[in-house]
Short mmCIF file of all heavy atoms in Angstrom, two decimals:
data_model
loop_
_atom_site.label_atom_id
_atom_site.label_comp_id
_atom_site.label_asym_id
_atom_site.label_seq_id
_atom_site.Cartn_x
_atom_site.Cartn_y
_atom_site.Cartn_z
N PHE N 167 -112.19 49.01 143.43
CA PHE N 167 -113.07 48.93 144.61
C PHE N 167 -112.81 50.11 145.54
O PHE N 167 -113.75 50.77 146.01
CB PHE N 167 -112.85 47.61 145.34
CG PHE N 167 -113.54 47.54 146.68
CD1 PHE N 167 -114.90 47.27 146.76
CD2 PHE N 167 -112.83 47.77 147.86
CE1 PHE N 167 -115.54 47.22 147.99
CE2 PHE N 167 -113.47 47.72 149.08
CZ PHE N 167 -114.83 47.44 149.15
N VAL N 168 -111.53 50.35 145.84
CA VAL N 168 -111.18 51.44 146.75
C VAL N 168 -111.61 52.79 146.17
O VAL N 168 -112.14 53.64 146.88
CB VAL N 168 -109.66 51.44 147.05
CG1 VAL N 168 -109.26 52.70 147.82
CG2 VAL N 168 -109.28 50.20 147.83
N TYR N 169 -111.41 52.96 144.87
CA TYR N 169 -111.76 54.23 144.24
C TYR N 169 -113.27 54.46 144.29
O TYR N 169 -113.72 55.58 144.59
CB TYR N 169 -111.27 54.25 142.80
CG TYR N 169 -111.48 55.58 142.11
CD1 TYR N 169 -110.63 56.65 142.35
CD2 TYR N 169 -112.58 55.78 141.25
CE1 TYR N 169 -110.83 57.88 141.75
CE2 TYR N 169 -112.80 57.01 140.65
CZ TYR N 169 -111.91 58.06 140.91
OH TYR N 169 -112.13 59.28 140.30
N GLN N 170 -114.05 53.41 144.01
CA GLN N 170 -115.50 53.55 144.01
C GLN N 170 -116.05 53.78 145.42
O GLN N 170 -117.04 54.49 145.60
CB GLN N 170 -116.15 52.30 143.40
CG GLN N 170 -115.94 52.17 141.90
CD GLN N 170 -116.54 50.90 141.34
OE1 GLN N 170 -116.94 50.00 142.08
NE2 GLN N 170 -116.59 50.81 140.00
N LYS N 171 -115.41 53.16 146.42
CA LYS N 171 -115.89 53.28 147.80
C LYS N 171 -115.06 54.29 148.61
O LYS N 171 -115.08 54.29 149.84
CB LYS N 171 -115.78 51.92 148.50
CG LYS N 171 -116.54 50.79 147.81
CD LYS N 171 -118.05 51.01 147.88
CE LYS N 171 -118.80 49.83 147.28
NZ LYS N 171 -120.27 50.03 147.33
N ARG N 172 -114.38 55.18 147.89
CA ARG N 172 -113.43 56.06 148.55
C ARG N 172 -114.07 56.93 149.63
O ARG N 172 -113.49 57.13 150.70
CB ARG N 172 -112.71 56.93 147.52
CG ARG N 172 -113.62 57.84 146.69
CD ARG N 172 -112.84 58.49 145.56
NE ARG N 172 -113.65 59.41 144.76
CZ ARG N 172 -114.47 59.04 143.79
NH1 ARG N 172 -114.57 57.74 143.49
NH2 ARG N 172 -115.17 59.93 143.11
N ASN N 173 -115.25 57.46 149.37
CA ASN N 173 -115.90 58.32 150.36
C ASN N 173 -116.29 57.53 151.60
O ASN N 173 -116.05 57.96 152.74
CB ASN N 173 -117.12 59.00 149.76
CG ASN N 173 -116.74 60.07 148.75
OD1 ASN N 173 -115.64 60.61 148.79
ND2 ASN N 173 -117.63 60.35 147.82
N LEU N 174 -116.90 56.36 151.39
CA LEU N 174 -117.29 55.51 152.52
C LEU N 174 -116.06 55.10 153.34
O LEU N 174 -116.06 55.20 154.57
CB LEU N 174 -118.02 54.27 152.02
CG LEU N 174 -118.38 53.22 153.09
CD1 LEU N 174 -119.32 53.82 154.12
CD2 LEU N 174 -118.99 51.98 152.44
N LEU N 175 -115.03 54.65 152.65
CA LEU N 175 -113.82 54.22 153.35
C LEU N 175 -113.14 55.36 154.11
O LEU N 175 -112.60 55.17 155.20
CB LEU N 175 -112.83 53.61 152.34
CG LEU N 175 -113.24 52.28 151.71
CD1 LEU N 175 -112.27 51.88 150.62
CD2 LEU N 175 -113.35 51.20 152.76
N SER N 176 -113.18 56.54 153.53
CA SER N 176 -112.56 57.69 154.21
C SER N 176 -113.31 58.04 155.49
O SER N 176 -112.71 58.38 156.51
CB SER N 176 -112.50 58.91 153.28
OG SER N 176 -113.80 59.36 152.94
N TYR N 177 -114.67 57.92 155.45
CA TYR N 177 -115.45 58.20 156.66
C TYR N 177 -115.25 57.13 157.72
O TYR N 177 -115.24 57.43 158.93
CB TYR N 177 -116.94 58.33 156.31
CG TYR N 177 -117.27 59.64 155.64
CD1 TYR N 177 -117.82 59.66 154.35
CD2 TYR N 177 -117.05 60.86 156.27
CE1 TYR N 177 -118.12 60.85 153.70
CE2 TYR N 177 -117.36 62.07 155.65
CZ TYR N 177 -117.88 62.05 154.36
OH TYR N 177 -118.18 63.24 153.74
N VAL N 178 -115.09 55.88 157.29
CA VAL N 178 -114.79 54.80 158.23
C VAL N 178 -113.44 55.07 158.91
O VAL N 178 -113.28 54.90 160.11
CB VAL N 178 -114.78 53.44 157.52
CG1 VAL N 178 -114.22 52.35 158.44
CG2 VAL N 178 -116.18 53.07 157.06
N TRP N 179 -112.48 55.48 158.11
CA TRP N 179 -111.15 55.81 158.64
C TRP N 179 -111.23 56.97 159.63
O TRP N 179 -110.62 56.93 160.69
CB TRP N 179 -110.21 56.16 157.48
CG TRP N 179 -108.95 56.89 157.87
CD1 TRP N 179 -108.63 58.17 157.58
CD2 TRP N 179 -107.86 56.38 158.64
NE1 TRP N 179 -107.40 58.50 158.10
CE2 TRP N 179 -106.91 57.41 158.76
CE3 TRP N 179 -107.59 55.16 159.24
CZ2 TRP N 179 -105.71 57.27 159.46
CZ3 TRP N 179 -106.39 55.00 159.93
CH2 TRP N 179 -105.47 56.04 160.03
N LEU N 180 -112.01 58.01 159.28
CA LEU N 180 -112.16 59.16 160.17
C LEU N 180 -112.80 58.74 161.49
O LEU N 180 -112.38 59.18 162.57
CB LEU N 180 -112.99 60.24 159.49
CG LEU N 180 -113.20 61.53 160.29
CD1 LEU N 180 -111.86 62.22 160.56
CD2 LEU N 180 -114.15 62.48 159.56
N ALA N 181 -113.82 57.89 161.41
CA ALA N 181 -114.50 57.42 162.62
C ALA N 181 -113.52 56.64 163.51
O ALA N 181 -113.50 56.80 164.74
CB ALA N 181 -115.69 56.54 162.26
N PHE N 182 -112.71 55.79 162.87
CA PHE N 182 -111.70 55.04 163.62
C PHE N 182 -110.73 55.98 164.33
O PHE N 182 -110.38 55.78 165.50
CB PHE N 182 -110.92 54.11 162.68
CG PHE N 182 -109.68 53.54 163.29
CD1 PHE N 182 -109.74 52.49 164.19
CD2 PHE N 182 -108.43 54.08 162.99
CE1 PHE N 182 -108.58 51.98 164.78
CE2 PHE N 182 -107.27 53.57 163.57
CZ PHE N 182 -107.36 52.52 164.46
N CYS N 183 -110.29 57.02 163.63
CA CYS N 183 -109.34 57.99 164.22
C CYS N 183 -109.95 58.74 165.38
O CYS N 183 -109.28 59.01 166.39
CB CYS N 183 -108.86 58.96 163.13
SG CYS N 183 -107.82 58.19 161.88
N ILE N 184 -111.23 59.09 165.27
CA ILE N 184 -111.91 59.79 166.36
C ILE N 184 -111.96 58.91 167.61
O ILE N 184 -111.69 59.37 168.73
CB ILE N 184 -113.33 60.22 165.93
CG1 ILE N 184 -113.25 61.31 164.86
CG2 ILE N 184 -114.14 60.71 167.13
CD1 ILE N 184 -114.58 61.68 164.24
N VAL N 185 -112.32 57.65 167.42
CA VAL N 185 -112.36 56.71 168.54
C VAL N 185 -110.96 56.53 169.15
O VAL N 185 -110.80 56.50 170.37
CB VAL N 185 -112.93 55.34 168.09
CG1 VAL N 185 -112.81 54.31 169.22
CG2 VAL N 185 -114.38 55.49 167.65
N PHE N 186 -109.96 56.43 168.27
CA PHE N 186 -108.58 56.27 168.74
C PHE N 186 -108.17 57.45 169.61
O PHE N 186 -107.60 57.28 170.69
CB PHE N 186 -107.64 56.13 167.55
CG PHE N 186 -106.18 56.09 167.92
CD1 PHE N 186 -105.60 54.90 168.33
CD2 PHE N 186 -105.39 57.23 167.88
CE1 PHE N 186 -104.25 54.85 168.68
CE2 PHE N 186 -104.05 57.20 168.23
CZ PHE N 186 -103.48 56.00 168.63
N VAL N 187 -108.44 58.67 169.13
CA VAL N 187 -108.09 59.88 169.88
C VAL N 187 -108.83 59.91 171.22
O VAL N 187 -108.26 60.27 172.25
CB VAL N 187 -108.41 61.14 169.07
CG1 VAL N 187 -108.27 62.40 169.93
CG2 VAL N 187 -107.51 61.24 167.85
N PHE N 188 -110.09 59.52 171.21
CA PHE N 188 -110.91 59.54 172.43
C PHE N 188 -110.26 58.71 173.53
O PHE N 188 -110.18 59.14 174.68
CB PHE N 188 -112.30 59.02 172.12
CG PHE N 188 -113.28 59.15 173.25
CD1 PHE N 188 -114.00 60.32 173.44
CD2 PHE N 188 -113.45 58.11 174.16
CE1 PHE N 188 -114.89 60.44 174.50
CE2 PHE N 188 -114.33 58.22 175.22
CZ PHE N 188 -115.06 59.39 175.39
N PHE N 189 -109.80 57.51 173.17
CA PHE N 189 -109.22 56.63 174.18
C PHE N 189 -107.74 56.96 174.43
O PHE N 189 -107.28 56.90 175.58
CB PHE N 189 -109.36 55.17 173.74
CG PHE N 189 -110.77 54.65 173.87
CD1 PHE N 189 -111.60 54.57 172.76
CD2 PHE N 189 -111.27 54.28 175.10
CE1 PHE N 189 -112.90 54.11 172.88
CE2 PHE N 189 -112.58 53.81 175.23
CZ PHE N 189 -113.39 53.73 174.12
N LYS N 190 -107.00 57.30 173.39
CA LYS N 190 -105.58 57.59 173.55
C LYS N 190 -105.36 58.81 174.43
O LYS N 190 -104.46 58.83 175.29
CB LYS N 190 -104.94 57.82 172.17
CG LYS N 190 -103.42 57.94 172.18
CD LYS N 190 -102.75 56.61 172.43
CE LYS N 190 -101.25 56.68 172.27
NZ LYS N 190 -100.58 55.39 172.51
N MET N 191 -106.17 59.84 174.23
CA MET N 191 -106.03 61.08 174.98
C MET N 191 -106.86 61.09 176.26
O MET N 191 -106.87 62.07 176.99
CB MET N 191 -106.45 62.27 174.10
CG MET N 191 -105.58 62.49 172.88
SD MET N 191 -103.97 63.15 173.31
CE MET N 191 -104.41 64.77 173.93
N ASN N 192 -107.55 59.97 176.52
CA ASN N 192 -108.38 59.88 177.72
C ASN N 192 -109.36 61.05 177.80
O ASN N 192 -109.49 61.73 178.82
CB ASN N 192 -107.50 59.86 178.98
CG ASN N 192 -108.11 59.02 180.08
OD1 ASN N 192 -109.28 58.65 180.00
ND2 ASN N 192 -107.33 58.73 181.09
N VAL N 193 -110.04 61.29 176.67
CA VAL N 193 -110.92 62.45 176.54
C VAL N 193 -112.05 62.40 177.56
O VAL N 193 -112.49 63.44 178.07
CB VAL N 193 -111.49 62.54 175.11
CG1 VAL N 193 -112.52 63.64 174.99
CG2 VAL N 193 -110.35 62.77 174.11
N TRP N 194 -112.52 61.20 177.89
CA TRP N 194 -113.63 61.10 178.84
C TRP N 194 -113.24 61.69 180.19
O TRP N 194 -114.03 62.39 180.83
CB TRP N 194 -114.06 59.65 179.01
CG TRP N 194 -115.20 59.50 179.99
CD1 TRP N 194 -115.17 58.96 181.23
CD2 TRP N 194 -116.54 59.98 179.80
NE1 TRP N 194 -116.39 59.05 181.83
CE2 TRP N 194 -117.27 59.67 180.98
CE3 TRP N 194 -117.20 60.63 178.75
CZ2 TRP N 194 -118.61 59.99 181.13
CZ3 TRP N 194 -118.55 60.95 178.92
CH2 TRP N 194 -119.24 60.63 180.08
N ASN N 195 -112.00 61.44 180.62
CA ASN N 195 -111.54 62.02 181.88
C ASN N 195 -111.48 63.53 181.80
O ASN N 195 -111.81 64.24 182.75
CB ASN N 195 -110.16 61.48 182.25
CG ASN N 195 -110.24 60.15 182.98
OD1 ASN N 195 -111.32 59.71 183.31
ND2 ASN N 195 -109.11 59.51 183.20
N MET N 196 -111.04 64.05 180.64
CA MET N 196 -110.99 65.51 180.46
C MET N 196 -112.39 66.11 180.56
O MET N 196 -112.59 67.15 181.18
CB MET N 196 -110.37 65.86 179.11
CG MET N 196 -108.88 65.59 179.01
SD MET N 196 -108.19 66.29 177.49
CE MET N 196 -106.56 65.56 177.50
N ILE N 197 -113.36 65.42 179.93
CA ILE N 197 -114.74 65.92 179.98
C ILE N 197 -115.26 65.88 181.41
O ILE N 197 -115.90 66.82 181.90
CB ILE N 197 -115.64 65.07 179.06
CG1 ILE N 197 -115.23 65.27 177.60
CG2 ILE N 197 -117.11 65.43 179.25
CD1 ILE N 197 -115.93 64.33 176.62
#
C-alpha cells in the first residue's frame, strides 16, 4: 500500500511539514 501510494503520501507529508514550519517559526508574524 505504501509503495503504491508513495507519491501521494510523500506530498501529504510535505504539506504537513510546511504547515508545521509555518506555525513553529511564526512565519505569519515575519510576513
Side-chain angles (χ1 to χ4, degrees):
F167 171 79
V168 171
Y169 185 78
Q170 289 177 349
K171 303 293 184 180
R172 60 189 182 278
N173 289 336
L174 174 62
L175 292 173
S176 65
Y177 285 119
V178 170
W179 163 249
L180 182 62
F182 167 78
C183 292
I184 292 173
V185 173
F186 175 83
V187 171
F188 187 86
F189 287 100
K190 188 73 173 180
M191 296 287 294
N192 213 347
V193 174
W194 180 251
N195 275 353
M196 289 190 190
I197 294 172

